[in-house]
Amino acid sequence: MTTDLVIRALAEDEAREVFTSLPAPGLVGRPLLGPPHDRYGTLASGGAYRPEWTWVALRGGEVVARAAFWGGPEDAAPIALDWFDFTDRAAAVQLLRRTPLRADFELILPPEWRADSAVRAAAEARIDAAREAGYRPLVERYRYTWTPACGLPERPGRLEFRPEPDDAVILEVLRRVHSSTLDAHALRAVEQGGIALAAQDELDFFHWCPSPRDWWRLAWTPGGDLVGIEVPARNQTTPVVGFIGVVPEQRGHGYGYDLLVECTHALAAEGAGRIEAATDLGNAPMAAAFTRAGYPVTQIRFCMSAP
């Protein structure tokens, strides 16, 4: 006899105990981040999650699948499926199908995740279950972590960096950057709503970050030609390279590196003890810039689009 499957959100007074009752070996996902990011906790208890955005599947009172969605403190809807684990694949698929929440899934993986059979099996189990539930693979991304031990890369000194207070100017620069791009998320936005949507999505993200607006910089040649934009930022937990973009007519000169170096110096000057950054595996020019600037790859993110 098969026990009926119960799928529901959690309540504040049970959330941590119930969520963490599912056994997980920690080969993939949030446990790879280490403390405190590998721990589930609700906003009310000082953590990052909301019980109403945390869903479980239970058989006979036992948690057999779990999904924790995440958003910033002011977000009205989640922006990421942050945690997805299970001991029962069929229950996990039903969990993702039946929860009313929708957000992209980013599975955190070690850099060489395909080389370890146990890690690869754990990753592919989650990817395949999410795919069956309607999620679609989008892109794999390098995740980098810079610390002062990596050393500050020397500024090339080829460009001038100036603040730009007008969002309309910033938006036009973003349109030019995204008129030709290798970034899979931007390409998805272009497909869904054109270059204007891709540019607006970037600008919205800049404003979503709690870091100061006046950190943003446009880059220019000494002769006054626009090269691109670099946005040092801070998300809800750490300093980040928010955006690096070179306009199409200035590509081929390695300027992405110059922008990244300036962004790194800006965040270091603000006291950053670590800087997180990312780029798609297929974006070879930007990946080369991160390598040259001394950013080590610390994770891979397997990104999937929500149904």
Side-chain angles (χ1 to χ4, degrees):
M1 180 178 177
T2 302
T3 305
D4 287 344
L5 186 68
V6 175
I7 294 176
R8 64 175 178 87
L10 297 180
E12 178 65 45
D13 60 358
E14 64 171 356
R16 178 171 175 78
E17 180 179 358
V18 173
F19 187 80
T20 58
S21 68
L22 181 77
L27 296 175
V28 301
R30 301 293 298 182
L32 296 180
L33 298 182
H37 308 296
D38 60 342
R39 300 168 187 165
Y40 176 87
T42 64
L43 289 173
S45 65
Y49 298 93
R50 308 183 198 187
E52 66 271 23
W53 290 357
T54 305
W55 284 66
V56 294
L58 305 102
R59 287 194 194 278
E62 177 184 348
V63 176
V64 293
R66 64 184 183 182
F69 292 80
W70 180 86
E74 305 302 321
D75 290 324
I79 61 175
L81 170 56
D82 225 19
W83 219 309
F84 178 49
D85 297 299
F86 54 87
T87 55
D88 182 327
R89 175 195 166 97
V93 173
Q94 288 302 312
L95 173 61
L96 291 188
R97 284 176 175 171
R98 289 163 57 179
T99 174
L101 304 172
R102 294 291 181 268
D104 286 358
F105 176 34
E106 284 199 5
L107 179 59
I108 303 167
L109 301 168
E112 302 296 332
W113 67 274
R114 288 182 174 87
D116 185 305
S117 59
V119 171
R120 180 168 182 166
E124 291 179 345
R126 287 157 179 78
I127 292 166
D128 290 345
R131 191 199 306 262
E132 188 175 343
Y135 285 74
R136 291 292 175 262
L138 177 64
V139 69
E140 286 186 58
R141 287 171 65 79
Y142 293 116
R143 292 279 296 201
Y144 305 90
T145 303
W146 179 92
T147 65
C150 299
L152 268 176
E154 184 177 352
R155 286 181 165 111
R158 297 190 295 171
L159 302 176
E160 298 174 1
F161 294 88
R162 308 172 197 160
E164 175 49 66
D166 190 343
D167 273 9
V169 174
I170 297 293
L171 197 60
E172 178 56 30
V173 174
L174 293 171
R175 288 193 191 101
R176 290 172 64 181
V177 169
H178 284 325
S179 66
S180 174
T181 180
L182 296 174
D183 184 89
H185 287 83
L187 288 170
R188 180 180 62 176
V190 170
E191 181 180 342
Q192 292 172 341
I195 294 171
L197 176 62
Q200 188 63 55
D201 280 353
E202 298 291 1
L203 185 61
D204 290 346
F205 167 71
F206 301 166
H207 281 297
W208 176 85
C209 292
S211 43
R213 167 67 172 78
D214 61 12
W215 285 4
W216 311 357
R217 293 290 185 272
L218 296 184
W220 306 82
T221 67
D225 294 323
L226 176 70
V227 168
I229 178 173
E230 53 96 3
V231 178
R234 180 183 293 274
N235 62 22
Q236 305 298 325
T237 60
T238 189
V240 296
V241 176
F243 189 78
I244 300 292
V246 177
V247 295
E249 62 269 26
Q250 295 287 359
R251 292 173 190 167
H253 304 291
Y255 285 140
Y257 174 77
D258 299 52
L259 272 62
L260 175 61
V261 169
E262 189 65 23
C263 189
T264 305
H265 275 263
L267 290 170
E270 295 292 332
R274 60 188 284 129
I275 301 170
E276 302 288 348
T279 197
D280 293 359
L281 266 63
N283 192 341
M286 201 63 231
F290 277 111
T291 299
R292 182 182 172 193
Y295 278 72
V297 176
T298 51
Q299 304 165 25
I300 296 292
R301 294 287 179 100
F302 193 101
C303 304
M304 304 184 74
S305 295

